[in-house]
Amino acid sequence: MSEIICHDFKSPRNDTSKRLPDSFKAIPILFYLSLIGAVYFMTMDWLAYKQAQKDKIEAEARKAQYDSDTKRFQDEKAKLDAETEKAEKLAKWVEGARNVQPITAAIARAMPPEVRLSDLTIERSEQVPENLALSLRINGGSVSEIGLLETGISRLQYRSLAPQQSKDGESIEYRSTLVRQDP
């Protein structure tokens, strides 16, 4: 008897394929390298995304600061514009007051010492600023003082347009529109 207990019952096969070439051994290596590369790029993309979120938050904060600064500057500009407009109106008023000062002085000089001016109002018209509305009340005077008044005003190159006067006891009320005469 034979000393081999186990017999190999395999039959030789000739129909099997050849072994893979040695270059195919690189496929698993390339697979693992591509996995490592994908993880690397995903990590870099995630870090870039987080940095972009931080940059976006900072940009929004800068924009909010810029908007608040812009609004504050616009409010300051509006206040300055309002003050400038008021100053221009005041300058126009002062410029218009130059014409009023000589008129008031001429009216005061035209009145004799025994006559008293109780009310004197000189207003400029908004539609025609060159014209002045004169209204005054004389106590203890007569119509002759009105003539002196008109003479004093005419020396300043003004003429009375539509003068009205009314006498109420001791007081005379006089109203007129003063128009500048160009020489």
Side-chain angles (χ1 to χ4, degrees):
M1 210 168 117
S2 148
E3 295 185 10
I4 301 175
I5 299 174
C6 183
H7 295 285
D8 189 9
F9 296 111
K10 282 199 288 181
S11 61
R13 292 187 175 177
N14 292 334
D15 59 342
T16 61
S17 64
K18 294 182 180 179
R19 293 184 67 142
L20 293 174
D22 288 340
S23 63
F24 279 24
K25 292 179 182 176
I27 290 177
I29 294 171
L30 291 175
F31 174 74
Y32 290 120
L33 286 177
S34 65
L35 279 180
I36 291 171
V39 168
Y40 171 76
F41 286 119
M42 286 176 55
T43 304
M44 295 308 291
D45 285 345
W46 182 76
L47 292 175
Y49 175 72
K50 289 298 183 183
Q51 184 63 36
Q53 282 182 332
K54 287 179 186 176
D55 292 345
K56 181 182 176 186
I57 291 170
E58 290 174 4
E60 288 173 350
R62 282 194 310 269
K63 183 182 181 296
Q65 180 67 28
Y66 172 76
D67 289 344
S68 68
D69 288 347
T70 302
K71 185 176 182 337
R72 183 174 48 94
F73 291 142
Q74 286 174 345
D75 291 344
E76 287 179 19
K77 184 182 181 297
K79 287 178 184 176
L80 291 175
D81 288 343
E83 286 185 32
T84 302
E85 185 176 333
K86 287 179 186 177
E88 287 174 356
K89 286 181 181 179
L90 180 63
K92 287 180 182 178
W93 182 83
V94 169
E95 186 68 30
R98 287 188 192 165
N99 297 335
V100 175
Q101 291 172 353
I103 293 170
T104 55
I107 292 171
R109 287 185 189 128
M111 295 294 136
E114 65 272 359
V115 177
R116 303 184 88 179
L117 288 172
S118 62
D119 290 329
L120 174 63
T121 306
I122 301 175
E123 296 177 352
R124 289 181 19 191
S125 169
E126 288 184 19
Q127 291 81 15
V128 185
E130 298 86 29
N131 295 347
L132 301 171
L134 172 67
S135 142
L136 65 99
R137 181 173 287 163
I138 302 171
N139 289 331
S142 64
V143 179
S144 64
E145 278 80 17
I146 300 296
L148 292 172
L149 172 86
E150 288 180 348
T151 304
I153 291 174
S154 67
R155 288 186 192 137
L156 296 172
Q157 304 298 324
Y158 281 96
R159 68 179 170 99
S160 294
L161 182 67
Q164 300 172 355
Q165 54 184 327
S166 62
K167 186 166 183 164
D168 184 25
E170 288 288 318
S171 66
I172 299 174
E173 191 170 326
Y174 178 77
R175 292 174 193 246
S176 176
T177 301
L178 302 178
V179 179
R180 179 91 173 154
Q181 297 176 2
D182 291 324

